[in-house]
Amino acid sequence: MAHCVLCDTDGGLLIHRAPKWRLIRATDTPAYPAFYRVVWNAHVAELSDLSDAERHECMDVVTQVERLMRAHLAPTKINLAALGNVVPHLHWHLIARFEGDSHFPAPIWAPAQREPLPAALAVLSSKLPALDQALAANFY
Amino acid sequence: MAHCVLCDTDGGLLIHRAPKWRLIRATDTPAYPAFYRVVWNAHVAELSDLSDAERHECMDVVTQVERLMRAHLAPTKINLAALGNVVPHLHWHLIARFEGDSHFPAPIWAPAQREPLPAALAVLSSKLPALDQALAANFY
């Protein structure tokens, strides 16, 4: 791999780095401030490239992040996805979705259905520092 | 829940039914014939609603399906997603993606970038009976 953005950079705001994975908050999705990613540190493409123990660790982390997102944000739904078509380096998207967000109920990759509401984004964003801290403390 | 399509129906072509989950092949995505779903049988919304043992079972199944999809289809990438905004009943999408498919490298929920190639779809579809059989045998 000459260049992989997830080998070369954290990929967002670093919340916690563990030996095998890291948790970042995405900073490239303004309509979705409550968007975290669990990035596997090694350059592997697919979930099934991990050993059983690694996969369990990866998905346990995803689940713990999801639980804290639910506890802090009470989203309508959590969206989980490991796509990697553009960056084939295993990373899990965790996105807090709300009725009335710019794409709901469509996936965030579909055409937007409406403008995001600045007030709703501001309320959501105001909860992120406490969530970031809870996530960091959870994995510390 | 008055009506949940995944409580009321299998949700596609049934490949295997286990006590806690079922594997179906999607029949509603003509541009993506190699599209499977692992559906949790109980009506729960989020992965983190499962017990640890249930979650491990669920993700181990997803991984086994992914491995057989890779072995039979050699896709460019596997896409995994649990969204559930429309049907908040836990189900994992497993989609075999190929360079040149109608959305690649975008997610399948984005606007299509090109028409699917009938010849490519025909080749892919021709491999599905053997994959279905291998999946069923794997879980038998």
Side-chain angles (χ1 to χ4, degrees):
Chain A
M1 290 305 296
H3 290 288
C4 166
V5 68
L6 291 180
C7 288
D8 294 347
T9 69
D10 288 336
L13 176 69
L14 186 67
I15 305 293
H16 183 77
R17 177 181 293 277
K20 298 222 168 196
W21 52 269
R22 60 190 184 269
L23 172 65
I24 63 110
R25 176 149 61 76
T27 52
D28 52 354
T29 56
Y32 291 96
F35 191 145
Y36 292 84
R37 294 190 183 110
V38 174
V39 182
W40 200 251
N41 289 334
H43 186 84
V44 297
E46 305 285 9
L47 184 64
S48 59
D49 288 329
L50 302 184
S51 71
D52 288 353
E54 288 172 334
R55 186 177 71 254
H56 291 160
E57 179 176 353
C58 181
M59 296 313 301
D60 287 354
V61 169
V62 167
T63 303
Q64 290 176 56
V65 175
E66 177 179 295
R67 286 208 177 104
L68 281 166
M69 292 174 73
R70 293 175 72 184
H72 281 248
L73 307 176
T76 308
K77 191 70 189 68
I78 294 285
N79 288 176
L80 303 178
L83 306 178
N85 304 321
V86 175
V87 181
H89 176 137
L90 180 62
H91 58 287
W92 279 98
H93 303 284
L94 293 99
I95 312 153
R97 300 298 308 278
F98 297 87
E99 284 185 55
D101 74 28
S102 58
H103 298 72
F104 201 88
I108 68 160
W109 302 282
Q113 304 197 6
R114 62 193 74 84
E115 288 294 313
L117 286 173
L121 288 181
V123 169
L124 187 53
S125 295
S126 74
K127 297 175 178 172
L128 297 181
L131 174 52
D132 289 352
Q133 201 164 23
L135 287 163
N138 182 76
F139 294 117
Y140 185 70
Chain B
M1 290 304 298
H3 290 289
C4 167
V5 68
L6 292 180
C7 288
D8 294 346
T9 70
D10 288 337
L13 176 69
L14 186 67
I15 306 293
H16 183 78
R17 178 181 293 278
K20 298 223 168 195
W21 53 269
R22 60 190 183 268
L23 172 65
I24 63 111
R25 176 148 61 77
T27 51
D28 53 354
T29 56
Y32 292 95
F35 190 145
Y36 292 84
R37 294 189 182 111
V38 174
V39 181
W40 199 251
N41 288 334
H43 187 84
V44 297
E46 304 285 9
L47 184 64
S48 59
D49 289 329
L50 302 185
S51 70
D52 288 352
E54 288 172 334
R55 186 177 71 254
H56 291 159
E57 179 175 353
C58 182
M59 296 313 301
D60 287 353
V61 169
V62 167
T63 304
Q64 289 176 56
V65 176
E66 176 179 295
R67 285 208 178 105
L68 280 166
M69 291 174 74
R70 294 175 72 185
H72 280 249
L73 308 176
T76 308
K77 192 69 190 69
I78 294 285
N79 288 177
L80 303 178
L83 306 178
N85 305 321
V86 175
V87 181
H89 176 137
L90 180 62
H91 57 287
W92 279 99
H93 302 285
L94 293 99
I95 312 153
R97 301 297 309 277
F98 297 88
E99 284 184 55
D101 73 28
S102 58
H103 298 72
F104 201 87
I108 67 160
W109 302 283
Q113 304 198 4
R114 61 193 74 84
E115 289 294 313
L117 286 174
L121 288 182
V123 168
L124 187 53
S125 295
S126 74
K127 296 176 178 171
L128 297 181
L131 174 52
D132 289 352
Q133 201 164 23
L135 287 164
N138 183 74
F139 294 116
Y140 186 70

